[in-house]
Amino acid sequence: MAKPIDLLQGTLDMLILKAVSLGPLHGYGVLLRIQQISKDRLEIQQGSLYPALYRLEHQGWIASEWGESENKRKAKYYRLTAAGKRRFQAETEKWNRMADMIAGILNTTPEEV
Amino acid sequence: MTFWSRVSSWLQAMLRRSRMESEMDAELRFHVEAYADDLIRSGVPRPEALRRARLVFGGIENAKEECREARGVHFVETLLQDSRYGARTMLRSPGFTVTAVLALALGIGANTAIFSVVNAVLLRPLPYDQPDRLMQVWHTPPQKSFPGMPTFAVSPANFLDWREQSRSFEGMSAYGFGRYTLTRSGHPEAIRMVAATVGLFSILRAQPLLGRGFLAGEDEPGHEHEVVLSYGLWRGHFAGNPDIVGKNIQLNGQAFAVVGVMRPEFDFPISSDPGSRAQMWKPLAWSAQDRAVRDNHNYAVIARLKDGVSLPQAQAELDAISNALAQAYPNDNKGWGAIAIPVREDLVGDVRPALLILLGAVALVLLIACANVANLMLVRALSRRKEVAVRTALGATRRRLLQQALSETLLLAFAGGALGLVFAHYGVILIVKFLAERLPRANEIALDSWVLAFTLGISLLTGFAVGLLPALRMAEADLNQALKQGLGRTATDSGGSRTRNVLAVSEVALSLMLLIGAGLLIRSLWVLQHVNPGFDPSNVVTMAVSVPTGKFAEATQQINYFGRILERVRALPGVQSAGLIDSLPLSDDGSHQPFSAEGRPTAPMAELPEVEVRLISPGYRSAMHIPLLSGRDVDDSDVAGRPGAVLISESMAKSFWPNEDAIGKHLTLYFFPELPRVVVGVVGDVKMTAMNETQPAPTLYFPVAQMSVPRGASWRSFGMILVARTDAAPLSVVPAITGSIREIDSEVPLLNIRTMDDSVSASLSQARFTMLLLGAFAGLALLLAVVGIYSVMSYAVSRRTNEIGIRVALGASRGDVLLLIVRQALLLALIGSVIGIVGALALSRLLASQLYGVRPTDPVTFISLAALLMIVALAASYIPARRAMRVDPMTALRYE
């Protein structure tokens, strides 16, 4: 297993949006889903997950309702709203452009300059 | 998000607060338990799993706090929480709370009271439609003949030319004030009447409640017997009967038709107290002869600017018209200009400086109060360092601490504001009571919504001003140090004590500035009260014998009438002497007239010198005890048919016949050219307009028995003022005097019965009141500064107890210790005084307009008040210093 890397600033929101875009999840589920997708290569501070969820909900990108968990316990489920979907797409595009650009810069060889 | 949706989200959030809290708890608990379950499934024993789950999650309270913040309703919620906490803390230290709230309440209350006056007098729009477009139009007289007089009443012919030639105004109306006698079932009553040319009501855009205003043509002679009643008069005298419209009433013995009744809020001209509001309006009907008068200035003019015309444009047009008139009629109009002044400015121009000075003074008081409370807060913040440290350790962010500290001071400020409103309420009652006569629109002063908004605003501002500094210091406190130091009593707190010293120094400086301002006004008033008015006001009673226009058909009838009255009054027991004058000294009205003197070149009217001219009867001078400097008084031999006799004042004699004897000189009054007159006596100068007159006004008196119809005018009878010198208690003779006048004429209204002492005192009332208010504010400032110095010094002593103990142990005497403390206090006071003196030097010239006989830089006032402040500072430091002297070295060294 590779050594987990810390999350880049500001990317947690995007990861949460991605996680809930695949289907409604409770907070712990969001954590597990991100770890699963990243193959445990990302380290997420559990305490910082909830303020991010509350913030996204306040901004109207995700919505929540209470439901029952796999083990029959009451849990709060988050799902992506229509506004959140648009936002997620925009953020993803922006991120890809940025990543391409930075990768391009970093891969430049001395001959190309 | 609109403001209201945000508020409603806050409100809902607050209502749902407890539910959200429990949901948040449940959610986080679910997370930890679900994680623990997974750990248990992977073989970790249950207690260990739970422990590890919590550990991995991190600070749960911290996360909750961040969640609340992320939810966006944090601010209001914590504000409420902080306020509750703040209220509890404050109740635990009542001494601090009472001092702080009282200081702020005095500051805010003084500001609120003065602002409510400023609001009513200077800010609130006048009760007319678009009042900013209403202009008062006056003449500007030639400065050579009327030195220092900015505006002058208007003559009919000039008014008519202005009205006809100007294009800047929608309408222009001339008006005059008069007294009429209303007779109902044989009972006479004096009524305040405004006579105005047609158009007044449409210029003011005032709609009558009943009936109508005046119609075009009603200001033609013969058509003017119509009146419009004020609402007050209609209700008071005619029982609010709507049938009165169309009926006739008796005014000055003639029938007038009531054509309308105005609305209750209508008032014109604006007056300060109900006792001087106009009660009726009638058309001003000039005869052809009146309309031609250009040289006699007796009317006020109001006009409304046309839409789209600016004041400078209108003024330029008036200037052009005035120039043309001066060229067309050089004899009457040379040097006479015209000026349009917004009505409000015309109304309040005189009181604005005094009000602005008071507003500045209360702002200083509030600043001092703020400095004071900030000081107290700083000391408190220091003693609460441990509390802050504990809260920081428990996860409070810096922002959160700041917010909490600020909400405490805001709470203090709002408590101060609420109490301040109570103070202001009584302050306003006092101000109105003392100032109603001198302050235009004083009846409108009230704590209305604008004033409440103002109070709320300055309370908020005060809260921030007072709280920010201590809050920042509190939030910055170093966690480790504070916890280590326990109560932090011996902490090296040099930054804090520097801040406190700066605050104390500024309190001293600001209060010295106020003290010097008040001191200058007190000295000025003292000088004024000892000014010789030129007459002896004691034991003199005056009353207006109000003769209506049209009562006597000829001048001789009026002369005889007053002659009979004087005869009766002089014969009364208790009356030493009595006389008549057309307008009293200190009354700010009376006639200015041009004259030509023997031995001086003849000139057109506009270039003739002007003097104050008073009509008197024999006996006036002796009743007033105005000294006769040379020559003789006018007497009963100076009647019609005899050579005209005049008395002149000393200043008139000096300015017109500087190096010769004025007695025997001939002169001619421009308006009474048919009778040449000769100076028979020179009398002392009298304060004609006000006690604070700096230059004596050259004055000429001539006997009423030698009056005639003024040039260009027709005869109108007029009232005079009876002046009686009594043996004692002048008011006790009043019934006898009025009784004897009533025997001659049962219908004549006798008005404004007062002693001359009262007139002198009324002339000083504004100066006295400004002085009293500023004095009160300065006293308040001094008190606050004393509290400030005291608190700084007591804190310094308690902080230096250890040091003092060491000094005493090393052999310092009690005197040395006393000196140590007092020296520090004196240093603060000295620095503050120097800054205060510099500030006062810079600001006191703003007071110049309010001062009489004292220079704004009067060194006596400056030095004595600075000395007073030093002594007071010394006294304030004495109690802490004594405490320092009693320090026992053994206790002090153990003191931690």
Side-chain angles (χ1 to χ4, degrees), chain B residues 172-226:
Chain B
M172 208 185 249
S173 170
Y175 60 94
F177 214 67
R179 287 191 184 278
Y180 275 65
T181 308
L182 170 69
T183 314
R184 285 181 307 144
S185 41
H187 175 72
E189 193 174 356
I191 295 294
R192 294 177 296 276
M193 169 83 82
V194 169
T197 60
V198 163
L200 178 71
F201 294 119
S202 62
I203 288 169
L204 299 175
R205 296 189 184 157
Q207 295 297 324
L209 180 68
L210 296 171
R212 57 171 175 86
F214 302 125
L215 303 176
E218 277 174 353
D219 53 358
E220 302 290 328
H223 300 280
E224 82 273 27
H225 287 298
E226 301 199 329

Side-chain angles (χ1 to χ4, degrees), chain B residues 156-157 160 220-221 285-293 712:
Chain B
L160 292 169
E220 302 290 328
W286 283 322
S287 64
Q289 195 185 10
D290 292 331
R291 295 168 74 89
V293 170

Side-chain angles (χ1 to χ4, degrees), chain A residues 26-28 31-32 45-55 58 66 69-71 73-76 78, chain B residues 1 20 23-24 26-28 30-31 33-35 37-38 41 53 56-58 63 66-67 70-73:
Chain A
H26 50 66
Y28 184 57
L31 183 76
L32 292 180
Q45 289 291 326
Q46 297 194 10
S48 66
L49 179 68
Y50 285 90
L53 284 169
Y54 275 74
R55 191 167 50 245
H58 182 64
W66 286 86
S69 76
E70 316 80 54
N71 45 11
R73 256 190 287 201
K74 249 172 74 96
K76 198 170 167 192
Y78 294 91
Chain B
M1 209 186 233
M20 290 177 94
E23 282 187 6
M24 187 164 69
E27 189 177 9
L28 298 184
F30 170 79
H31 180 107
E33 280 170 8
Y35 185 40
D37 284 350
D38 283 352
R41 235 170 279 144
V56 170
F57 191 87
E66 279 179 47
C67 286
R71 218 163 51 202
V73 291

Side-chain angles (χ1 to χ4, degrees), chain B residues 125-126 128-135 304-305 311 342-344:
Chain B
L126 295 170
Y128 306 116
D129 185 43
Q130 297 193 0
D132 295 345
R133 310 293 293 169
L134 285 174
M135 300 288 145
R304 183 182 284 278
L305 280 180
L311 180 55
V343 167
R344 188 217 300 274

Side-chain angles (χ1 to χ4, degrees), chain B residues 327-387:
Chain B
Q327 283 190 351
Y329 311 98
N331 195 36
D332 295 329
N333 271 30
K334 197 170 172 210
W336 288 79
I339 186 169
I341 302 171
V343 167
R344 188 217 300 274
E345 208 176 301
D346 193 59
L347 198 63
V348 300
D350 295 343
V351 294
R352 182 182 282 135
L355 283 181
L356 293 184
I357 286 166
L358 289 176
L359 202 62
V362 288
L364 287 187
V365 171
L366 186 59
L367 262 181
I368 297 170
C370 284
N372 215 323
V373 176
N375 229 331
L376 293 173
M377 296 290 301
L378 276 174
V379 173
R380 231 166 85 90
L382 215 64
S383 65
R384 283 172 68 181
R385 283 210 296 205
K386 191 172 181 187
E387 174 199 330

Side-chain angles (χ1 to χ4, degrees), chain B residues 547 552 554-568 580 639-640 704-707 715 720 744:
Chain B
V547 169
F552 301 112
E554 280 177 53
T556 43
Q557 288 175 305
Q558 174 166 347
I559 294 168
N560 290 337
Y561 173 80
F562 279 114
R564 289 207 304 280
I565 288 179
L566 265 189
E567 208 173 304
R568 294 294 282 272
L580 299 160
V639 292
V704 66
Q706 292 182 329
M707 72 172 174
W715 163 252
M720 293 198 70
I744 294 170

